[in-house]
């Protein structure tokens, strides 16, 4: 009879049927049947078989142990006493069984934690460790693993921790007057109230070194010890020791190459090391090897979106989230994999059976990343167990967790229903995770290995000779020059990639431009706000419309990037409508060829200004074009041009010595301009010496012979 059928029959026909069905076997046959059922994942049948085996043979110690291990693995808090009773029966029958003693060690460690004791200071545990050593099993992989786990649990209780008075968090608010969540987790808050504060870092470091030594010994004794790899990798990850974690997970993958968690660990480490291509390869391997539930967690985007948001296609979501389009991989998606992987590897507790990505801490790490700072407060040992509190500081907001034994470790702290409203307001955090998600959007900022630099660039709109709109991108690449490099014709060793991308409202790519640049000529260098910039000009023919634009620069040598994403509205210049281009501010405009970063717009050579600051004693060149002109009665294309320069008083700190109450400076000029054709190109030279330093706006107003008008404006700073 199949196991499911047997259980159903037992429910329908009663215990007598089950007894008769399995009572035909001996105790050892029932023990073996239970082991086979457990391998199939049928824990209910395994439990029934082992209970029957004990009834058949009350001296079958392995059946007592198997039942104890099963109940303990289900839920330590709920089944602790029964598991302990069964294990005691097994130990009375086989007191020198090393496997049984290791389970006893695990249960006793849990009980010590539950009682609020330092695990390694428990006298009963020390006696048990001595007994295990006497049994001759001290230098076996399981014993070394068990000792390592004891030290790992001790480290986790001590890491980033200090002891304080055993005050519930709510009481700190009501009775002790903490002004904020951060203040309640600041040791100075306790010192000011003459409370003893004991820092635990030295004990934590001692436990960490001991845990590493035991777990490494376990792996030396058994290079296929999967749980030892996971425990050691978890320890290094949680301690932010990326080189140690990389070594562990690489050995894990070499010795157990079909284990998805090994490749998941490599992906997490490589991503944190900003080796994104290697991380992507490791995550891809992990996705082919992990169990279905973990794969779904890696591919689930629900925690990154608002609780009430409608369903969205994950592929489209990730396209829109890509922070750096110059690379072949999506760093935001890799960050998500790394966060899920970290939660899986660090917050999964075998005792509870809850995957780490399902725990409170795991879900919050997936949405917000790792906190900037973590503080653990443990109560001083007075009168038994009291929960510890964990504080996560994200800078713009903070979270608190309360310790829970027998579950997933820590749960998000929430005020109780009857708490004082002042307590809830003081916490500045919601009682429900869904409210937190509505209040605080998912956070992520991409930073390449070499860091980010400020992207200096400008965008201008003109009409090309073919009638299409031309987007002219003026950009500056920061260059770190060594002595003597200005005197050479090209900048040695500089290799850059430039990218300009446009996507529509549906996330579809509408325009892509990429260029790899090296041997940059030194005559295009400019000093802008104290920085050396290599200035380049890149024109693009783009259909009119509204886009999500990405301007990106990447220094391949220093692994630094300048990134700017944002909306871009590309105008349409038609033949029958009077329109004016962007106003391009330039260092010089000439009908003769110029050197440097010039843009040739026949008949002019234009040297654009990359910065927005100009010197008063230098002339300012303004280049513009007009489209859609219509001839007058004499067949001429004439317009009246009015220039107005207005000082923006109060909008800038460029002139701190400006007398209070002074009116902003204003100058204007009007002149007629005639063109030989419907499209006109023109520039004007402005003398700004009479203007004070400050922020200005330049307004250009055109009126043609038909009475039609067009306007343009730009801003600049005078020094």
């Amino acid at each position: 009879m199949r196991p499911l059928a047997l259980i159903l029959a037992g429910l329908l026909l009663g215990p007598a049927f089950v007894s008769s069905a399995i009572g035909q076997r001996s105790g050892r046959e029932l023990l073996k049947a239970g082991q086979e059922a457990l391998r199939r994942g049928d824990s209910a049948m395994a439990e029934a078989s082992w209970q029957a085996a004990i009834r058949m043979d009350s001296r079958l110690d392995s059946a007592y142990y198997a039942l104890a291990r099963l109940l303990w693995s289900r839920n330590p808090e709920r089944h602790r006493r029964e598991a302990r009773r069964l294990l005691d029966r097994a130990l009375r029958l086989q007191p020198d069984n090393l496997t049984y003693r290791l389970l006893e060690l695990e249960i006793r460690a849990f009980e010590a934690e539950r009682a609020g004791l330092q695990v390694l200071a428990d006298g009963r545990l020390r006696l048990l460790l001595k007994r295990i050593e006497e049994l001759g099993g001290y230098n076996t992989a399981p014993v070394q693993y068990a000792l390592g786990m004891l030290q790992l649990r001790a480290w986790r209780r001590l890491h980033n921790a200090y002891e304080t008075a055993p005050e519930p968090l709510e009481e700190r608010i009501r009775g002790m007057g903490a002004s904020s969540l951060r203040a309640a987790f600041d040791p100075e808050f306790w010192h000011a109230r003459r409370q003893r504060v004991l820092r635990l870092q030295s004990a934590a470091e001692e436990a960490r070194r001991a845990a590493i030594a035991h777990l490494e010994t376990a792996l030396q004794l058994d290079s296929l010890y999967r749980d030892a790899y996971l425990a050691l990798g978890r320890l290094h990850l949680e301690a932010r020791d990326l080189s140690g974690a990389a070594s562990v997970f690489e050995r894990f993958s070499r010795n157990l190459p079909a284990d998805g968690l090994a490749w998941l660990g490599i992906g997490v480490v490589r991503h944190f090391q900003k080796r994104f291509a290697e991380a992507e390869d490791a995550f891809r391997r992990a996705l082919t090897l992990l169990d279905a539930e973990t794969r779904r967690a890696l591919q689930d985007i629900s925690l990154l979106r608002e609780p009430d948001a409608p369903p969205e296609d994950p592929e489209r979501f990730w396209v829109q989230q890509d922070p750096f389009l110059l690379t072949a991989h999506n760093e935001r998606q890799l960050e998500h994999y790394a966060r899920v992987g970290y939660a899986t590897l660090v917050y999964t507790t075998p005792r509870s059976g809850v995957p780490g990505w399902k725990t409170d801490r795991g879900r919050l790490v997936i949405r917000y990343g790792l906190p900037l700072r973590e503080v653990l407060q443990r109560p001083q040992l007075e009168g038994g167990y009291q929960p510890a509190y964990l504080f996560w500081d994200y800078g713009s907001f903070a979270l608190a967790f309360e310790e829970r034994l027998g579950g997933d470790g820590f749960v998000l702290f929430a005020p109780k229903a009857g708490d004082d409203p002042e307590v809830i307001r003081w916490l500045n955090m919601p009682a429900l995770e869904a409210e937190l998600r509505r209040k605080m959007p998912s956070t992520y900022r991409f930073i390449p290995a070499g860091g980010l630099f400020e992207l200096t660039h400008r965008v201008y709109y003109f009409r090309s000779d073919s009638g299409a709109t031309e987007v002219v991108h003026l950009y500056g690449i920061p260059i770190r020059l060594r002595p003597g490099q200005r005197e050479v014709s090209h900048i040695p060793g500089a290799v850059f990639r430039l990218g300009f991308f446009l996507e529509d409202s549906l996330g579809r790519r509408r325009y892509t431009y990429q260029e790899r640049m090296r041997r940059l000529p030194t005559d295009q260098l400019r000093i802008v706000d104290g920085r050396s910039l290599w200035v380049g000009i890149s024109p693009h023919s783009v259909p009119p419309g509204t886009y999500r634009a990405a301007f990106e620069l990447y220094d391949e040598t220093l692994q630094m990037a300048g990134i700017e994403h944002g909306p871009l509205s590309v105008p349409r210049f038609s033949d029958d409508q009077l329109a004016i281009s962007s106003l391009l501010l330039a260092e010089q405009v000439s009908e003769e060829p110029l050197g440097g970063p010039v843009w040739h717009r026949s008949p002019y050579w234009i040297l654009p200004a990359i910065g927005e600051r100009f010197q008063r004693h230098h002339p300012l060149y303004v280049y513009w074009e007009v489209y859609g002109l219509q001839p007058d009665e004499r067949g001429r294309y004439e317009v009246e041009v009015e220039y107005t320069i207005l000082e923006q008083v109060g909008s800038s700190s460029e002139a701190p010595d400006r007398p209070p109450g002074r009116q902003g400076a204003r100058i204007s000029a009007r002149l007629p301009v005639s063109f030989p054709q419907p499209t006109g190109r023109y520039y004007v030279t402005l003398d700004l010496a009479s203007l004070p330093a400050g922020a200005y706006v330049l307004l250009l107003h055109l009126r043609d012979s038909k009475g039609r008008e067009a306007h343009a404006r730009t801003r600049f700073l005078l020094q």
Side-chain angles (χ1 to χ4, degrees), residues 588-594 599-607 621 623 681-683:
Q588 190 175 356
V589 180
S590 173
E591 294 188 33
E592 299 296 328
L594 299 171
W599 181 42
H600 185 220
R601 195 74 167 167
S602 182
Y604 301 116
W605 297 82
I606 305 162
L607 186 60
Y621 293 82
Y623 176 81
R681 296 174 178 176
Y682 197 77
Y683 77 94

Side-chain angles (χ1 to χ4, degrees), residues 460-492:
Y460 300 100
Y461 305 106
F462 295 89
R463 181 179 173 181
S464 68
D465 293 335
S466 65
T469 301
E470 195 164 70
V471 177
V472 179
H473 184 211
L474 179 68
Y475 56 91
I477 300 176
I479 300 292
R480 298 179 183 178
L481 291 174
R482 293 189 293 273
Q485 286 191 347
R486 277 190 184 278
E487 284 68 42
V488 299
S489 61
H490 293 84
I491 302 169

Side-chain angles (χ1 to χ4, degrees), residues 615-617 620 645-647 662 664-668 686-694 696 716 718-719:
Q615 301 295 325
R616 286 182 294 167
H617 57 275
L620 174 63
I645 299 177
L646 297 173
E647 186 181 9
R662 184 180 66 78
R666 174 191 177 108
I667 60 173
S668 63
L686 301 177
D687 183 359
L688 307 175
S690 63
L691 295 176
Y696 290 86
F716 63 93
L718 270 188
Q719 292 181 322

Side-chain angles (χ1 to χ4, degrees), residues 46-245:
E47 182 179 357
S49 297
W50 290 331
Q51 287 175 342
I54 291 171
R55 288 194 295 270
M56 291 288 294
D57 185 352
S58 61
R59 298 189 60 77
L60 198 57
D61 58 279
S62 51
Y64 288 112
Y65 168 78
L67 260 179
R69 168 58 72 183
L70 177 64
L71 293 176
W72 178 252
S73 65
R74 280 182 182 167
N75 189 317
E77 184 65 30
R78 182 178 178 183
H79 300 298
R80 176 176 55 86
R81 289 188 175 86
E82 179 63 13
R84 181 66 184 275
R85 184 189 67 81
L86 290 165
L87 181 61
D88 286 345
R89 292 290 301 272
L91 284 169
R92 281 199 294 271
L93 295 167
Q94 288 288 343
D96 295 336
N97 187 296
L98 187 59
T99 302
Y100 300 174
R101 290 296 178 186
L102 289 177
L103 179 57
E104 182 186 14
L105 183 66
E106 190 174 339
I107 294 175
R108 283 192 182 278
F110 176 82
E111 290 175 338
E113 290 178 4
R114 192 173 183 277
L117 302 175
Q118 295 288 355
V119 172
L120 298 174
D122 185 1
R124 293 178 303 171
L125 273 176
R126 290 201 300 270
L127 289 174
L128 179 56
L129 288 171
K130 185 177 180 181
R131 179 64 186 277
I132 289 172
E133 185 175 2
E134 291 171 351
L135 291 175
Y138 193 78
N139 287 323
T140 63
V143 171
Q144 289 297 317
Y145 169 75
L147 295 174
M149 290 303 294
L150 281 179
Q151 296 285 0
L152 174 57
R153 282 197 289 271
W155 175 79
R156 297 193 86 208
R157 290 177 60 83
L158 301 170
H159 179 54
N160 290 331
Y162 59 87
E163 283 187 356
T164 62
E167 278 303 327
L169 191 53
E170 300 96 323
E171 294 304 319
R172 301 182 197 179
I173 306 164
R174 293 195 189 94
M176 303 187 73
S179 59
S180 69
L181 194 59
R182 286 185 179 86
F185 284 88
D186 184 352
E188 295 305 317
F189 169 79
W190 298 92
H191 282 307
R193 284 151 183 78
R194 299 182 179 180
Q195 296 285 339
R196 188 171 69 92
V197 175
L198 177 63
R199 297 186 183 276
L200 304 173
Q201 292 311 303
S202 121
E205 181 58 26
E206 184 180 343
R208 188 182 75 88
R209 287 196 297 265
I212 292 172
H214 286 302
L215 292 170
E216 287 286 8
T217 302
L219 289 172
Q220 290 170 10
L221 295 167
D222 182 357
S223 62
L224 302 180
Y225 206 140
R226 179 179 188 267
D227 288 346
Y229 284 119
L230 289 172
L232 191 55
R234 169 186 184 169
L235 172 58
H236 286 307
L237 275 180
E238 204 165 2
R240 307 294 193 270
D241 179 4
L242 296 182
S243 60

